[in-house]
Amino acid sequence: SIPLETQFARVPRASMSAWTTAALRTASRRTLSVRPLTPFLPGAMNRNMASNNKGYDILRDPETNYGMAFDAESRKALGLRGLLPPRMCTMTDQKRRILGQLSRIPNPLDKYMSLMALQERNMTLFYSIIIDNVYEMMPFIYTPTVGEACQKYGHIFQRPRGLYISIEDAGEVREILDNWPADEVHVAVVTDGERILGLGDLGTYGMGIPVGKLNLYTACAGIHPNKTLPICIDVGTNSPDLINDPFYTGIPKPRVRGEKYDALVDEVITALNERYPGILIQFEDFGNTNAFRLLEKYRNTVCTFNDDIQGTASVALAGIMGAVKVKGTQLKDETFLFLGAGEAGTGIADLIVDQMIEEGMSEPEARSKCWFVDSKGLVVKSRLDKLQHHKIPYAHDHAPIGSLKEAVEILKPTGLVGVSTQGGAFTKQIVDTM
C-alpha cells in the first residue's frame, strides 16, 4: 500500500449496475453466461503496485506512475529519490496543472493528442481528470474530435494501442491474442474500420474508435481499463487515399470480403471466448453489409452486441419513452418517421417495435408504426428489389413519396427521428406541419 493524497470522483455503483444490465439485455434475446465486470476507481490502483517495480520502471509504467504525487516515504521505499523533483505535488495539484495546459491549447485535435500522451505516462491522472470533468473532456477523447483523429491517425501516431489482427494473420489469431498481456479481459470493442462514424472506410485508422469508446467504459461505467481490449480487424481498405498514404497503418490493399472475411471474424470471436470465457464483445462501426448479419450470427451464441444498431437504439428508445410519459400516452399510440435507414435507424425501429409488442401490439402492427425516408424517398414495397435487407421489414404498401416534407404531410407522424448525416433537414416548416 502506497500512501498518496488523492482526490478522486466516485463512479456511482447504481449507475454502473444499470448500464451493465442494459448492455447485457441488449446483447442477446436469451440469457448468456457472462463474467462479472470489475469496477474501477482510480484510487484503487494504489493498492495494485507491483512489489517488484523499482525506480525508473515505476515512472515509465503508466499504471504505477503517479508523477510528483509520491511522498517522501514512498520515494525512499521505491527507489525514486532523485528521479523526481524534490517537491511533492498532490494529484489535485497535478490535475490543475494538466487542465491549465489543456486550456492553453486552442486546437481540439492537439488537446486529444495531449490527453492520449498523458494516458500513456500516467493512467491514474488521466482517468481522474476524465472522471472529474467528463462533460468537458468527452468531446476531446471521443466525438467529435476522435473523428478527425481517426482521419489523421497515421500522421499523429505516437504509440500503438490495442490489438491489430490482419487478414494475413488468418489461422494464427489465437497466437496473436496470446501476445496481449492481460490474463483477464471483460470487454472488447472490435471494429473493421469500414464505416467509422459518418466518415466512411478508414481501415486501421479506425482504431481510435475502440480506444476512445473503452475510455468511456472506464470513465462513465467504471470498468477497469486493464480489463478492456480495443481490437481492429484489418482486411484492407477501399479508400484510394489511404492505400496511397505513406503513413497508413494497415494493409494498403482493397478489402477482402466473402468467405475469407467471415472465417477471420469467426476466428477472432472464437479465440476471444477461448482465452477470455464470457467476454462481452461489442461490434463497432462495421459496414451495413456485415453489421446486421454478424449480429444475427453471434447474438445467441456469445455475449455480444452491435453499438451502432443496439446501443444507439437503447438511448433513443429511453428518450422516446420519457417523452411519451410526459405526453401521457403509450408508445403504441405513436407513429414514427425516420430520416435515414442505416444501422442506427433500423436498430432504433427494431427496439421500438419490441417495446410496442410488450405493450400488446402484434409485430406487423408495430412495424406499421415505423416509416423510413432514405436517399431515394419513402421506403415502400414497390422498391423491394433494390432495398438492402435491413430495410425490407419497414417497406410498407404505399405510393412512392420523394421528400421528407411530403412524407410528414401525408403520413402525419407524431415522432420524427433523425439518423442521417443530412444536416438542417428538420426545418421549422416540417416541425410546424407535425
Side-chain angles (χ1 to χ4, degrees):
S1 175
I2 305 226
L4 291 173
E5 182 182 349
T6 56
Q7 298 288 334
F8 293 115
R10 295 183 178 179
V11 178
R13 296 302 177 93
S15 299
M16 184 162 54
S17 174
W19 183 93
T20 303
T21 301
L24 297 183
R25 284 188 63 188
T26 308
S28 176
R29 295 185 185 278
R30 68 188 182 97
T31 303
L32 296 170
S33 176
V34 296
R35 63 168 77 237
L37 299 177
T38 302
F40 168 76
L41 294 173
M45 300 182 74
N46 301 339
R47 298 191 297 273
N48 297 329
M49 180 77 76
S51 58
N52 59 344
N53 275 7
K54 290 287 184 179
Y56 228 53
D57 290 340
I58 288 176
L59 301 182
R60 289 296 176 264
D61 184 344
E63 294 183 39
T64 57
N65 177 29
Y66 305 121
M68 293 174 63
F70 291 98
D71 62 16
E73 180 184 350
S74 301
R75 294 182 187 203
K76 184 174 183 179
L78 297 171
L80 297 175
R81 295 174 66 193
L83 302 181
L84 291 166
R87 183 174 181 176
M88 179 196 170
C89 185
T90 67
M91 276 291 175
T92 301
D93 290 337
Q94 290 188 103
K95 285 189 287 185
R96 234 178 0 246
R97 175 194 293 155
I98 296 296
L99 290 172
Q101 293 171 359
L102 290 171
S103 70
R104 293 188 291 274
I105 300 175
N107 186 283
L109 182 60
D110 290 335
K111 290 181 190 285
Y112 170 89
M113 294 173 63
S114 178
L115 286 165
M116 294 302 101
L118 174 62
Q119 185 178 18
E120 290 292 347
R121 67 178 184 269
N122 191 329
M123 187 184 295
T124 301
L125 183 56
F126 170 79
Y127 283 112
S128 180
I129 287 173
I130 302 303
I131 290 172
D132 284 358
N133 306 275
V134 65
Y135 293 109
E136 294 84 0
M137 295 295 111
M138 192 179 293
F140 303 125
I141 65 170
Y142 204 61
T143 54
T145 308
V146 74
E148 183 182 2
C150 286
Q151 289 177 306
K152 301 175 180 177
Y153 208 70
H155 297 257
I156 64 172
F157 188 85
Q158 298 176 28
R159 288 183 60 183
R161 290 190 61 81
L163 191 69
Y164 291 87
I165 300 172
S166 81
I167 192 67
E168 296 175 354
D169 299 320
E172 300 177 326
V173 171
R174 178 55 198 269
E175 182 181 342
I176 300 295
L177 186 60
D178 285 342
N179 290 336
W180 189 251
D183 293 325
E184 188 176 358
V185 173
H186 294 172
V187 184
V189 175
V190 183
T191 187
D192 70 353
E194 186 174 9
R195 195 198 64 83
I196 297 298
L197 303 175
L199 305 172
D201 185 352
L202 296 185
T204 56
Y205 277 9
M207 176 59 97
I209 297 298
V211 169
K213 185 60 65 72
L214 286 170
N215 281 335
L216 300 186
Y217 269 62
T218 298
C220 302
I223 298 174
H224 199 289
N226 289 349
K227 304 298 187 290
T228 67
L229 174 55
I231 297 177
C232 183
I233 300 176
D234 182 13
V235 293
T237 176
N238 289 340
S239 167
D241 290 339
L242 293 182
I243 290 175
N244 296 315
D245 182 352
F247 299 112
Y248 181 57
T249 53
I251 298 172
K253 296 179 181 179
R255 282 187 172 271
V256 172
R257 299 196 184 277
E259 292 182 3
K260 289 185 178 180
Y261 175 92
D262 288 349
L264 180 63
V265 173
D266 196 63
E267 191 178 354
V268 171
I269 300 299
T270 301
L272 281 170
N273 277 279
E274 283 179 355
R275 186 170 183 202
Y276 306 116
I279 185 174
L280 170 62
I281 301 172
Q282 173 183 324
F283 288 111
E284 181 77 29
D285 286 354
F286 282 71
N288 288 343
T289 55
N290 292 316
F292 290 94
R293 65 185 190 83
L294 290 177
L295 177 60
E296 290 305 315
K297 180 178 181 180
Y298 294 109
R299 68 188 304 169
N300 292 321
T301 57
V302 299
C303 181
T304 185
F305 77 104
N306 183 296
D307 189 46
D308 307 289
I309 298 172
Q310 297 167 292
T312 302
S314 299
V315 175
L317 179 60
I320 289 170
M321 291 182 70
V324 166
K325 184 176 180 181
V326 172
K327 188 179 176 183
T329 61
Q330 288 186 293
L331 193 64
K332 65 181 183 180
D333 300 324
E334 310 297 332
T335 299
F336 295 94
L337 178 61
F338 293 76
L339 177 62
E343 296 174 39
T346 54
I348 295 170
D350 287 345
L351 208 55
I352 287 175
V353 167
D354 286 347
Q355 182 61 30
M356 287 181 172
I357 291 172
E358 288 207 9
E359 293 182 3
M361 296 187 81
S362 67
E363 183 173 335
E365 288 176 320
R367 290 197 184 278
S368 72
K369 292 281 193 172
C370 296
W371 297 77
F372 282 85
V373 171
D374 63 11
S375 60
K376 301 290 191 294
L378 190 66
V379 174
V380 292
K381 284 188 176 180
S382 60
R383 295 175 51 196
L384 278 179
D385 59 331
K386 296 182 180 179
L387 288 176
Q388 293 173 290
H389 70 281
H390 63 277
K391 300 181 186 181
I392 292 175
Y394 298 99
H396 302 310
D397 192 6
H398 196 282
I401 296 177
S403 68
L404 175 66
K405 178 177 178 296
E406 188 180 359
V408 170
E409 291 171 347
I410 295 173
L411 299 175
K412 298 183 174 14
T414 57
L416 200 56
V417 182
V419 278
S420 166
T421 55
Q422 182 183 348
F426 293 174
T427 63
K428 184 177 186 300
Q429 183 183 9
I430 285 177
V431 175
D432 287 343
T433 300
M434 292 180 63

